[in-house]
Every structure is written in C-alpha cells, then in structure tokens.
Amino acid sequence: PSPPEEVQPVVELTRPTEVNLSSREARLHAYIIFVNTTEVPMVVIWLDYRGEEVQYRTILPGAEYRQSTWVSHPWIVRAAGTHQRLTCNNELVIFASQN
C-alpha cells in the first residue's frame, strides 16, 4: 500500500496591516479629512484601544468629512453594504498628521 497523505493544518491568516492594530494613548491632537472619490458610500471606521472597529460616519460619493482624532489612532474605510476595504491615499490604514 502507498503511504498516507500528509495532512496540513489549516491556519487562519490575518493581513499584516491588521495584526495588533489598535489605538494607543496620545497627546497630539489632529484632524483627518476623508473625501469620498468613489461611486459608492463609504464608512469611516476608528480602530479602538482593543482593535475593534467602531463605525463613525457614512460618506456619500463626492462628499467629505472632517474627523477630530489623535495622531496614534488608526482609521480605515469600507464600502457601505459590501464592507470591502478601501484605500485612502493608497493606504489601507490611515493615521492623522499633526497640524
């Protein structure tokens, strides 16, 4: 008889940008302006101190939204309805710059 096939364990992979990604305590205040240049509504999401997604605002196509934040707080955007990740300035994760 032939040897049994080797069974590989199933490993769930996470995207590198999402590994241990969460807000950190900060002292530098900033603003982010999100501009929806897509043809679908997009959802602005803050990643809280536990790395959980917290929805803040849905932005319609062509509209913009100014969000108060801290420089160490990560933000992401998703397409409303499909929840597909979208990029902002070619980045999957957005951090504010100090103004």
Side-chain angles (χ1 to χ4, degrees):
S2 59
E5 291 184 16
E6 188 173 314
V7 178
Q8 297 295 322
V10 176
V11 178
E12 184 174 335
L13 300 175
T14 58
R15 290 184 215 128
T17 56
E18 296 180 20
V19 175
N20 297 323
L21 190 58
S22 63
S23 289
R24 305 281 185 241
E25 187 175 337
R27 292 192 173 120
L28 298 175
H29 184 260
Y31 289 93
I32 298 178
I33 299 175
F34 294 93
V35 180
N36 187 350
T37 59
T38 72
E39 296 179 4
V40 298
M42 70 180 203
V43 180
V44 173
I45 299 167
W46 171 57
L47 298 177
D48 71 11
Y49 296 99
R50 294 175 302 167
E52 300 290 327
E53 294 187 11
V54 179
Q55 292 187 12
Y56 262 69
R57 178 73 54 105
T58 299
I59 306 172
L60 297 177
E64 64 180 55
Y65 169 61
R66 183 175 188 233
Q67 175 63 52
S68 175
T69 188
W70 302 93
V71 295
S72 65
H73 290 199
W75 295 82
I76 63 172
V77 291
R78 293 190 181 277
T82 66
H83 304 289
Q84 176 186 3
R85 286 285 292 273
L86 302 174
T87 60
C88 286
N89 296 329
N90 296 316
E91 298 291 336
L92 280 172
V93 180
I94 304 101
F95 290 90
S97 300
Q98 184 181 10
N99 296 338

